[in-house]
Amino acid sequence: MSNFQNFHIALKCDTGLDQRVYNVPTTTEIAAIWVDENDGSAIHTPHLQIYTHSDKTQRVNYYFGCYDPLQYPLLFPHGQSGWHCGIKKLPKPENIPRSRTLEFEQLPNIKKFTSVDGYLDMEAQNLQKRKRKRDVVSVREYYCYKLQMRNNDEDEILHTGRLFQQYSVDEYIKLETQRLDFVSFNQDLFRMGGPRDMRQRYMDAIALVQRFRKPDLFITMTCNLSWTEIKEQLWSTDEAQNRPDLITRVFRAKIEELKTDILKRNIFGKVVAFMYTVEFQKRGLSHAHILIILGNKHKLLTAEAYDDIIRAELPDGKAEPDLRKIVIKHMMHGPCVYRRRNTGEVVKVREQYLDNSWVVPYNPYLLGKFNCHINVEVCSDIKVVKYLYKYICKGHDKIAFCVQNNDTDIEIDEVKEYRSARWVSPPKAVWRLFGFPISEMTPSVYRLQLHLEGQQFVSFKSNADIHTIVNNPMIQKTMLTEFFYMNNTDEDAKELNLLYKEFPEYFV
């Protein structure tokens, strides 16, 4: 666009859209607006367009090794190549520590070529030679390796401020683009993805509720940029928000420690079911939502039981001075339904004087240990279950935007120009590059097939012979048909008299 400077991107605040997904960012960060055109065109995938001195136009796709140095010359001033197809994994040598064995067979340095044309031709030849083997390095493995913290910090990529935010987001989109391309080109192999996955997770969660009754506790844990583990690793020129790799690692470690407290140390009692989801909303800080179902002997049935694990008041300044400071710093928000006595005591928070009615419910042990916003709520009504599970399984963060002309005199059709896209932030990008899980559920839920007689699903490749498929005796068998068969032929099954949903607990 020759007049590109005359336009700007406007983020829309439409109250008619789901505000859990389409909320407007409230923090300053480098993020990507990922538009999915769904028209099969590859022009929307990440790429660079190169105009060489020989008047030859070359397109550099995201899977070219020269994509990174061309996109980020400040990060790769010597033209070091980035990830490309066919990087070989080196076998582990004898008597060398594991941490030192992961090295990559790189493309030649771009400085060895006399022209961009030559380098791009070499890239094309490398793609043609590519073989589908397991001994090559994936996009995720490569950038997970590149983003590790090392003692020498030779390339200093991790300390380049906002540019590192952009770099991490760009590499994640490269990863997701490759995964989506693979699924698109291999439709015979996959029947998954999209909002369907989120709905299925929600149904799995409801199955847990059906089996173990309603959740007892709902915990929200938010990352704290002031954690000692983060501050100790920052350079003097670093800002915490510009180190999504460090923030992600520390937050992941805190979540794992919290899981250990809940599931193994049983700080709330015996846990029979547990689920958590990590979210990356447009407020700058990652947070985790956790739902806990306690065993029958540890249910919270009285007000005294609530008070034993949850507080919603300011701690005594003399008896618990450290805890009081943490509550004032992290847990002052808004009124709720817990015991909040009017003691007449107030504290000054962000230029406002607040009393007990503003204290967010918390657990003293967890708050003192993790030193962050960690809200602990009691689930008292079965109606809240659907809301909670749908909230934590709501799907990707999205943004409504349009491209507008800077000329205010031009009439704009906002309805026509409105577009919806995914919003990718640096913490989410790094979390996915490191391969950390977004959600977890225990115990696992086994999904049972359900169909009418003779109408079960049959999966096959498009080039398969139809006679071979029809004559395959295995397609006649499904979970449901075998359930009926066992109840007719197996004495143990007849004696137990199990429902379909109970069957996997006794038979495999």
Side-chain angles (χ1 to χ4, degrees):
M1 298 176 63
S2 58
N3 58 342
F4 185 72
Q5 66 277 6
N6 295 333
F7 293 86
H8 67 275
I9 296 175
L11 305 184
K12 308 291 289 182
C13 181
D14 189 343
T15 56
L17 297 173
D18 185 350
Q19 291 304 298
R20 300 172 303 168
V21 177
Y22 284 94
N23 47 40
V24 175
T26 58
T27 185
T28 57
E29 64 182 2
I30 302 296
I33 299 178
W34 188 356
V35 181
D36 185 8
E37 297 292 344
N38 290 323
D39 60 0
S41 173
I43 194 67
H44 306 295
T45 60
H47 69 278
L48 301 172
Q49 199 73 19
I50 303 298
Y51 301 88
T52 67
H53 290 292
S54 61
D55 295 329
K56 182 180 179 181
T57 300
Q58 287 276 9
R59 180 175 173 179
V60 179
N61 289 307
Y62 67 91
Y63 45 80
F64 282 18
C66 57
Y67 178 91
D68 284 354
L70 288 172
Q71 179 78 317
Y72 302 98
L74 292 179
L75 301 185
F76 306 98
H78 302 294
Q80 307 96 313
S81 64
W83 178 84
H84 56 87
C85 298
I87 300 179
K88 299 289 185 180
K89 290 182 179 178
L90 298 183
K92 181 181 178 182
E94 298 291 335
N95 303 321
I96 295 183
R98 180 180 178 87
S99 60
R100 295 176 53 195
T101 62
L102 186 58
E103 298 180 15
F104 300 132
E105 176 189 313
Q106 293 280 11
L107 287 174
N109 193 297
I110 199 170
K111 292 171 66 177
K112 296 181 181 180
F113 289 83
T114 57
S115 69
V116 176
D117 293 342
Y119 192 88
L120 295 177
D121 289 341
M122 184 272 298
E123 290 270 19
Q125 294 174 9
N126 180 64
L127 286 175
Q128 294 175 359
K129 296 178 181 178
R130 182 188 178 194
K131 296 181 180 179
R132 298 184 64 175
K133 292 184 178 179
R134 296 278 184 180
D135 60 348
V136 297
V137 179
S138 68
V139 179
R140 194 202 66 77
E141 290 172 328
Y142 179 86
Y143 289 107
C144 181
Y145 172 81
K146 293 292 288 184
L147 298 185
Q148 299 302 309
M149 296 170 59
R150 298 177 173 84
N151 292 332
N152 50 20
D153 269 342
E154 292 179 356
D155 53 20
E156 300 184 351
I157 288 180
L158 303 179
H159 308 281
T160 52
R162 289 293 179 106
L163 188 58
F164 178 60
Q165 288 193 37
Q166 179 181 339
Y167 176 74
S168 60
V169 170
D170 199 6
E171 305 314 340
Y172 168 63
I173 291 181
K174 185 186 296 186
L175 165 65
E176 283 287 273
T177 301
Q178 188 198 50
R179 287 175 172 173
L180 292 174
D181 286 347
F182 181 77
V183 172
S184 298
F185 297 139
N186 294 273
Q187 287 294 307
D188 289 344
L189 304 178
F190 300 101
R191 294 291 184 273
M192 62 184 187
R196 196 180 340 174
D197 177 64
M198 292 296 178
R199 288 196 295 269
Q200 188 62 66
R201 291 178 189 270
Y202 162 65
M203 295 305 297
D204 290 349
I206 293 299
L208 284 184
V209 174
Q210 185 181 37
R211 175 66 173 80
F212 297 106
R213 303 174 63 186
K214 71 175 181 64
D216 296 284
L217 295 172
F218 178 50
I219 301 175
T220 300
M221 181 181 185
T222 305
C223 180
N224 179 13
L225 299 184
S226 299
W227 273 326
T228 304
E229 295 87 347
I230 294 177
K231 287 187 172 181
E232 288 177 347
Q233 299 297 328
L234 295 177
W235 286 12
S236 59
T237 55
D238 282 341
E239 294 182 23
Q241 63 173 339
N242 293 331
R243 289 295 307 276
D245 64 310
L246 177 59
I247 296 171
T248 296
R249 290 187 176 281
V250 174
F251 187 48
R252 163 71 170 165
K254 299 285 186 179
I255 291 176
E256 290 300 304
E257 180 64 16
L258 177 59
K259 285 171 54 182
T260 300
D261 281 339
I262 295 172
L263 300 179
K264 295 183 179 180
R265 300 189 182 108
N266 296 324
I267 62 172
F268 297 121
K270 179 66 175 178
V271 176
V272 295
F274 172 91
M275 176 185 178
Y276 82 87
T277 299
V278 179
E279 283 198 324
F280 308 92
Q281 290 184 337
K282 310 180 198 73
R283 302 172 187 171
L285 296 176
S286 309
H287 56 279
H289 294 301
I290 302 170
L291 280 163
I292 301 170
I293 303 179
L294 299 174
N296 290 331
K297 295 182 180 179
H298 302 275
K299 294 288 186 182
L300 306 175
L301 303 176
T302 65
E304 290 75 20
Y306 289 8
D307 293 338
D308 284 342
I309 65 172
I310 296 178
R311 291 192 202 173
E313 296 180 327
L314 290 164
D316 184 88
K318 295 181 179 179
E320 300 172 305
D322 293 336
L323 181 63
R324 180 183 174 87
K325 292 178 182 178
I326 298 175
V327 170
I328 294 174
K329 182 177 181 181
H330 297 296
M331 306 305 296
M332 303 300 291
H333 185 53
C336 201
V337 297
Y338 301 94
R339 181 184 72 174
R340 287 184 171 91
R341 293 167 294 193
N342 185 8
T343 61
E345 183 181 16
V346 296
V347 294
K348 190 175 183 180
V349 179
R350 292 184 289 275
E351 305 302 323
Q352 300 291 329
Y353 289 95
L354 308 178
D355 58 11
N356 277 342
S357 64
W358 292 91
V359 180
V360 175
Y362 63 92
N363 175 267
Y365 169 76
L366 293 181
L367 183 60
K369 179 175 182 176
F370 291 101
N371 186 26
C372 65
H373 178 89
I374 183 164
N375 174 213
V376 182
E377 300 274 5
V378 172
C379 302
S380 58
D381 193 334
I382 194 67
K383 294 179 180 178
V384 79
V385 175
K386 185 175 181 180
Y387 167 77
L388 293 181
Y389 278 116
K390 281 206 167 183
Y391 178 76
I392 62 181
C393 297
K394 64 182 175 56
H396 299 294
D397 284 321
K398 306 194 79 174
I399 196 74
F401 76 99
C402 64
V403 178
Q404 295 184 351
N405 194 306
N406 293 336
D407 189 349
T408 57
D409 295 331
I410 297 178
E411 184 176 351
I412 297 174
D413 186 344
E414 293 188 354
V415 175
K416 183 179 180 180
E417 296 191 359
Y418 157 82
R419 302 182 79 181
S420 173
R422 281 176 60 180
W423 180 270
V424 182
S425 63
K428 178 176 182 177
V430 176
W431 188 281
R432 300 308 296 270
L433 286 172
F434 285 160
F436 296 155
I438 292 294
S439 63
E440 185 177 312
M441 180 184 296
T442 183
S444 59
V445 175
Y446 196 63
R447 300 167 188 170
L448 299 175
Q449 299 177 14
L450 196 63
H451 57 84
L452 296 176
E453 184 177 0
Q455 297 186 24
Q456 61 266 36
F457 283 100
V458 179
S459 179
F460 56 91
K461 292 189 175 182
S462 57
N463 59 354
D465 180 68
I466 188 65
H467 297 290
T468 303
I469 297 171
V470 172
N471 295 324
N472 183 356
M474 292 305 297
I475 69 170
Q476 306 295 333
K477 297 181 179 182
T478 68
M479 293 181 186
L480 185 59
T481 60
E482 292 305 289
F483 165 71
F484 291 135
Y485 175 77
M486 287 290 288
N487 278 290
N488 284 328
T489 60
D490 188 89
E491 294 300 324
D492 292 333
K494 290 180 180 179
E495 183 178 347
L496 290 171
N497 193 28
L498 299 171
L499 296 175
Y500 187 32
K501 67 177 182 179
E502 298 169 338
F503 210 74
E505 296 184 34
Y506 299 88
F507 298 92
V508 296

